[in-house]
């Protein structure tokens, strides 16, 4: 019953949605920064040269 009382108290708090939204915003910001750091610091792929396909022409 203590958990139910705690949930009910949290639901009655007028700032509960604000705190939840701020937490979601903080998590989003951390994920965006981590993604940007990954994109900036990842090693670049070495470009391998592949010759173009040979052109087949008719001998006629």
């Amino acid at each position: 019953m203590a958990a139910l009382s705690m949930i009910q108290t949290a639901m009655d708090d007028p700032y509960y949605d604000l705190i939840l939204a701020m937490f979601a915003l903080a998590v989003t910001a951390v994920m965006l920064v981590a993604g940007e750091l990954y994109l900036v610091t990842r090693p670049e792929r070495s470009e391998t040269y592949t010759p173009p396909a040979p052109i087949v022409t008719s001998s006629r």
Side-chain angles (χ1 to χ4, degrees), residues 22-41:
M22 288 172 51
F23 178 71
L25 185 64
V27 169
T28 303
V30 168
M31 290 177 68
L32 284 172
V33 169
E36 183 65 25
L37 284 174
Y38 169 74
L39 290 175
V40 169
T41 60

Side-chain angles (χ1 to χ4, degrees), residues 3-57:
L4 182 61
S5 172
M6 198 164 73
I7 291 172
Q8 190 64 30
T9 303
M11 292 297 195
D12 291 339
D13 186 9
Y15 297 110
Y16 183 73
D17 290 338
L18 178 64
I19 292 170
L20 193 60
M22 288 172 51
F23 178 71
L25 185 64
V27 169
T28 303
V30 168
M31 290 177 68
L32 284 172
V33 169
E36 183 65 25
L37 284 174
Y38 169 74
L39 290 175
V40 169
T41 60
R42 70 178 175 179
E44 299 209 11
R45 295 181 183 171
S46 60
E47 294 185 21
T48 57
Y49 175 74
T50 57
I55 299 174
V56 178
T57 57

